[in-house]
Amino acid sequence: DAGVTQSPTHLIKTRGQQVTLRCSPKSGHDTVSWYQQALGQGPQFIFQYYEEEERQRGNFPDRFSGHQFPNYSSELNVNALLLGDSALYLCASSLLVGGGQANEKLFFGSGTQLSVL
Amino acid sequence: DAKTTQPTSMDCAEGRAANLPCNHSTISGNEYVYWYRQIHSQGPQYIIHGLKNNETNEMASLIITEDRKSSTLILPHATLRDTAVYYCIVKMDSNYQLIWGAGTKLIIKP
């Protein structure tokens, strides 16, 4: 059973460019969350997608957008890249355990390391 | 901001129990305590979570104090592969996001 897969694993872009990161959730999962992790820090929540809609968004500008497809896979798009967008971007899919939003555990991919030059 | 406080780093001898403390003194009644860990160059891995009662699974035990203001994650027989950053997180039932702090860097020594 494949876990959460992300592509590409590494990416180098220049300021002002646009980037698309991709995520396939764990089999049977229907919810995808995206996190940004700067070096030496904990992950920061970007947004979560469920049933092809953005369900909740963290404190990130509109340059960060996403999409979820009918097969539950997801994309994260970042426009007008800044140097500060350099980070590890993590995708996580959810498994509901026992029902209820709090009873979920996230399965993470290995991330996409984005470098903006 | 993260609602938890953890030591920056800890050491533990291989084969011994590793006890990782977490303070969450402002936790509310409907917030769960979650623990994740992140091994270098990998995505975070779920360990365990709980509300009031102590919990145990194949990876670890979670001990939550009666007033719920603190908890301890116990790895019963630490191995070198348990070297990682361990994150303690409180999460509200109605909230979809996890708010992460800096975590505890646990180093298992042979």
Side-chain angles (χ1 to χ4, degrees), chain B residues 21-80:
Chain B
C22 179
N23 181 288
H24 33 79
S25 58
T26 62
I27 194 170
S28 59
N30 61 352
E31 287 184 316
Y32 287 70
V33 179
Y34 279 76
W35 284 84
Y36 282 79
R37 73 181 182 183
Q38 188 171 23
I39 296 170
H40 183 61
S41 300
Q42 297 183 21
Q45 177 189 24
Y46 167 86
I47 302 173
I48 198 166
H49 76 281
L51 182 63
K52 296 180 182 178
N53 299 321
N54 298 337
E55 301 287 345
T56 296
N57 63 21
E58 65 279 2
M59 287 184 68
S61 294
L62 173 60
I63 308 299
I64 303 175
T65 58
E66 192 169 341
D67 63 8
R68 303 187 70 237
K69 292 185 177 182
S70 66
S71 61
T72 300
L73 177 74
I74 301 173
L75 307 178
H77 304 288
T79 71
L80 298 178

Side-chain angles (χ1 to χ4, degrees), chain B residues 58-109:
Chain B
E58 65 279 2
M59 287 184 68
S61 294
L62 173 60
I63 308 299
I64 303 175
T65 58
E66 192 169 341
D67 63 8
R68 303 187 70 237
K69 292 185 177 182
S70 66
S71 61
T72 300
L73 177 74
I74 301 173
L75 307 178
H77 304 288
T79 71
L80 298 178
R81 290 180 296 178
D82 292 322
T83 293
V85 178
Y86 287 76
Y87 296 95
C88 170
I89 302 159
V90 295
K91 180 176 178 295
M92 192 178 295
D93 190 24
S94 59
N95 199 342
Y96 299 113
Q97 66 174 297
L98 296 174
I99 300 176
W100 307 63
T104 295
K105 183 174 178 59
L106 175 66
I107 299 174
I108 307 301
K109 297 188 173 182

